[in-house]
Tab-separated table of all heavy atoms in Angstrom:
chain	number	residue	atom	x	y	z
A	19	SER	N	0.837	-1.209	0.000
A	19	SER	CA	0.000	0.000	0.000
A	19	SER	C	0.866	1.250	0.000
A	19	SER	O	2.037	1.211	0.399
A	19	SER	CB	-0.925	0.021	1.219
A	19	SER	OG	-0.185	0.259	2.410
A	20	SER	N	0.270	2.357	-0.423
A	20	SER	CA	1.017	3.618	-0.449
A	20	SER	C	1.320	4.095	0.969
A	20	SER	O	2.352	4.718	1.212
A	20	SER	CB	0.236	4.681	-1.220
A	20	SER	OG	-1.002	4.957	-0.578
A	21	SER	N	0.424	3.807	1.910
A	21	SER	CA	0.661	4.218	3.300
A	21	SER	C	1.885	3.526	3.875
A	21	SER	O	2.710	4.143	4.578
A	21	SER	CB	-0.564	3.905	4.165
A	21	SER	OG	-1.659	4.690	3.780
A	22	ALA	N	2.043	2.224	3.595
A	22	ALA	CA	3.217	1.500	4.074
A	22	ALA	C	4.482	2.012	3.384
A	22	ALA	O	5.534	2.167	4.015
A	22	ALA	CB	3.042	0.003	3.825
A	23	LEU	N	4.377	2.312	2.079
A	23	LEU	CA	5.536	2.808	1.342
A	23	LEU	C	5.934	4.210	1.788
A	23	LEU	O	7.094	4.608	1.650
A	23	LEU	CB	5.224	2.819	-0.160
A	23	LEU	CG	5.723	1.614	-0.961
A	23	LEU	CD1	5.225	1.687	-2.395
A	23	LEU	CD2	7.239	1.547	-0.945
A	24	ALA	N	4.970	4.978	2.303
A	24	ALA	CA	5.278	6.337	2.757
A	24	ALA	C	6.339	6.336	3.845
A	24	ALA	O	7.107	7.288	3.982
A	24	ALA	CB	4.001	7.026	3.264
A	25	HIS	N	6.398	5.256	4.648
A	25	HIS	CA	7.422	5.166	5.686
A	25	HIS	C	8.814	5.042	5.073
A	25	HIS	O	9.808	5.464	5.671
A	25	HIS	CB	7.150	3.961	6.594
A	25	HIS	CG	5.896	4.069	7.397
A	25	HIS	ND1	5.675	5.105	8.280
A	25	HIS	CD2	4.783	3.291	7.437
A	25	HIS	CE1	4.479	4.955	8.840
A	25	HIS	NE2	3.923	3.871	8.351
A	26	ALA	N	8.887	4.420	3.890
A	26	ALA	CA	10.182	4.248	3.231
A	26	ALA	C	10.583	5.492	2.468
A	26	ALA	O	11.736	5.634	2.056
A	26	ALA	CB	10.118	3.058	2.269
A	27	TYR	N	9.621	6.399	2.310
A	27	TYR	CA	9.869	7.538	1.459
A	27	TYR	C	10.370	8.748	2.223
A	27	TYR	O	10.098	8.906	3.386
A	27	TYR	CB	8.579	7.898	0.706
A	27	TYR	CG	8.925	8.495	-0.609
A	27	TYR	CD1	9.530	7.726	-1.580
A	27	TYR	CD2	8.729	9.838	-0.850
A	27	TYR	CE1	9.897	8.279	-2.769
A	27	TYR	CE2	9.088	10.384	-2.041
A	27	TYR	CZ	9.676	9.607	-3.009
A	27	TYR	OH	10.056	10.160	-4.183
A	28	GLY	N	11.084	9.595	1.576
A	28	GLY	CA	11.514	10.866	2.163
A	28	GLY	C	12.952	10.890	2.594
A	28	GLY	O	13.631	11.913	2.461
A	29	LEU	N	13.463	9.773	3.145
A	29	LEU	CA	14.828	9.767	3.669
A	29	LEU	C	15.842	10.008	2.551
A	29	LEU	O	16.804	10.769	2.714
A	29	LEU	CB	15.113	8.434	4.365
A	29	LEU	CG	16.351	8.403	5.266
A	29	LEU	CD1	16.254	9.470	6.345
A	29	LEU	CD2	16.506	7.029	5.902
A	30	ALA	N	15.631	9.354	1.399
A	30	ALA	CA	16.554	9.534	0.280
A	30	ALA	C	16.507	10.967	-0.241
A	30	ALA	O	17.537	11.557	-0.584
A	30	ALA	CB	16.218	8.548	-0.842
A	31	VAL	N	15.293	11.543	-0.282
A	31	VAL	CA	15.147	12.906	-0.797
A	31	VAL	C	15.826	13.910	0.128
A	31	VAL	O	16.551	14.799	-0.320
A	31	VAL	CB	13.653	13.265	-0.957
A	31	VAL	CG1	13.499	14.545	-1.746
A	31	VAL	CG2	12.907	12.140	-1.632
A	32	THR	N	15.593	13.771	1.434
A	32	THR	CA	16.220	14.704	2.376
A	32	THR	C	17.737	14.554	2.338
A	32	THR	O	18.466	15.547	2.426
A	32	THR	CB	15.719	14.456	3.811
A	32	THR	OG1	15.829	13.066	4.125
A	32	THR	CG2	14.287	14.882	3.972
A	33	GLY	N	18.217	13.312	2.200
A	33	GLY	CA	19.660	13.095	2.095
A	33	GLY	C	20.241	13.802	0.894
A	33	GLY	O	21.297	14.446	0.972
A	34	THR	N	19.550	13.726	-0.238
A	34	THR	CA	20.014	14.406	-1.444
A	34	THR	C	19.995	15.918	-1.269
A	34	THR	O	20.889	16.624	-1.743
A	34	THR	CB	19.135	14.012	-2.645
A	34	THR	OG1	19.179	12.595	-2.798
A	34	THR	CG2	19.635	14.654	-3.924
A	35	MET	N	18.974	16.421	-0.581
A	35	MET	CA	18.900	17.871	-0.361
A	35	MET	C	20.034	18.352	0.538
A	35	MET	O	20.575	19.450	0.344
A	35	MET	CB	17.538	18.244	0.237
A	35	MET	CG	16.402	18.163	-0.755
A	35	MET	SD	14.855	18.807	-0.069
A	35	MET	CE	13.797	18.705	-1.524
A	36	VAL	N	20.406	17.546	1.525
A	36	VAL	CA	21.548	17.901	2.380
A	36	VAL	C	22.832	17.939	1.553
A	36	VAL	O	23.648	18.863	1.665
A	36	VAL	CB	21.686	16.897	3.551
A	36	VAL	CG1	23.012	17.102	4.280
A	36	VAL	CG2	20.531	17.068	4.527
A	37	VAL	N	23.004	16.929	0.689
A	37	VAL	CA	24.177	16.888	-0.198
A	37	VAL	C	24.193	18.115	-1.108
A	37	VAL	O	25.232	18.755	-1.303
A	37	VAL	CB	24.168	15.593	-1.033
A	37	VAL	CG1	25.206	15.666	-2.159
A	37	VAL	CG2	24.456	14.388	-0.154
A	38	THR	N	23.028	18.467	-1.658
A	38	THR	CA	22.924	19.642	-2.526
A	38	THR	C	23.336	20.909	-1.792
A	38	THR	O	24.078	21.745	-2.323
A	38	THR	CB	21.483	19.790	-3.062
A	38	THR	OG1	21.153	18.648	-3.846
A	38	THR	CG2	21.338	21.044	-3.911
A	39	ALA	N	22.869	21.065	-0.554
A	39	ALA	CA	23.197	22.260	0.226
A	39	ALA	C	24.702	22.344	0.506
A	39	ALA	O	25.303	23.420	0.397
A	39	ALA	CB	22.413	22.257	1.538
A	40	ILE	N	25.313	21.210	0.847
A	40	ILE	CA	26.755	21.205	1.153
A	40	ILE	C	27.566	21.558	-0.094
A	40	ILE	O	28.487	22.394	-0.047
A	40	ILE	CB	27.188	19.835	1.714
A	40	ILE	CG1	26.531	19.591	3.070
A	40	ILE	CG2	28.715	19.776	1.859
A	40	ILE	CD1	26.752	18.189	3.614
A	41	MET	N	27.223	20.936	-1.231
A	41	MET	CA	27.983	21.225	-2.454
A	41	MET	C	27.684	22.636	-2.975
A	41	MET	O	28.552	23.274	-3.574
A	41	MET	CB	27.695	20.168	-3.519
A	41	MET	CG	28.331	18.818	-3.205
A	41	MET	SD	28.542	17.753	-4.644
A	41	MET	CE	26.836	17.370	-5.004
A	42	ALA	N	26.465	23.116	-2.728
A	42	ALA	CA	26.143	24.497	-3.106
A	42	ALA	C	27.017	25.473	-2.317
A	42	ALA	O	27.452	26.506	-2.853
A	42	ALA	CB	24.664	24.790	-2.860
A	43	PHE	N	27.298	25.143	-1.056
A	43	PHE	CA	28.189	25.982	-0.253
A	43	PHE	C	29.578	26.063	-0.884
A	43	PHE	O	30.168	27.143	-0.983
A	43	PHE	CB	28.290	25.428	1.171
A	43	PHE	CG	29.406	26.039	1.979
A	43	PHE	CD1	29.298	27.326	2.479
A	43	PHE	CD2	30.582	25.327	2.214
A	43	PHE	CE1	30.330	27.899	3.202
A	43	PHE	CE2	31.618	25.889	2.935
A	43	PHE	CZ	31.494	27.177	3.428
A	44	VAL	N	30.100	24.919	-1.338
A	44	VAL	CA	31.422	24.900	-1.979
A	44	VAL	C	31.413	25.748	-3.250
A	44	VAL	O	32.341	26.535	-3.502
A	44	VAL	CB	31.844	23.451	-2.302
A	44	VAL	CG1	33.168	23.441	-3.070
A	44	VAL	CG2	31.973	22.626	-1.033
A	45	VAL	N	30.343	25.602	-4.051
A	45	VAL	CA	30.241	26.351	-5.299
A	45	VAL	C	30.147	27.854	-5.027
A	45	VAL	O	30.825	28.662	-5.667
A	45	VAL	CB	29.025	25.867	-6.122
A	45	VAL	CG1	28.753	26.788	-7.307
A	45	VAL	CG2	29.255	24.443	-6.605
A	46	VAL	N	29.309	28.220	-4.059
A	46	VAL	CA	29.127	29.637	-3.732
A	46	VAL	C	30.424	30.249	-3.212
A	46	VAL	O	30.812	31.364	-3.586
A	46	VAL	CB	27.999	29.801	-2.686
A	46	VAL	CG1	28.001	31.200	-2.110
A	46	VAL	CG2	26.647	29.506	-3.325
């Protein structure tokens, strides 16, 4: 079900956003 999958979701996205912020700092 989508409700069960929702628990698996989000962690990868937030991890990527953290990586983006760190590398954006280097670029800036």
Side-chain angles (χ1 to χ4, degrees):
S19 71
S20 62
S21 294
L23 263 174
H25 294 301
Y27 210 67
L29 195 57
V31 192
T32 50
T34 302
M35 287 187 175
V36 169
V37 168
T38 298
I40 294 172
M41 288 201 291
F43 167 74
V44 176
V45 170
V46 167

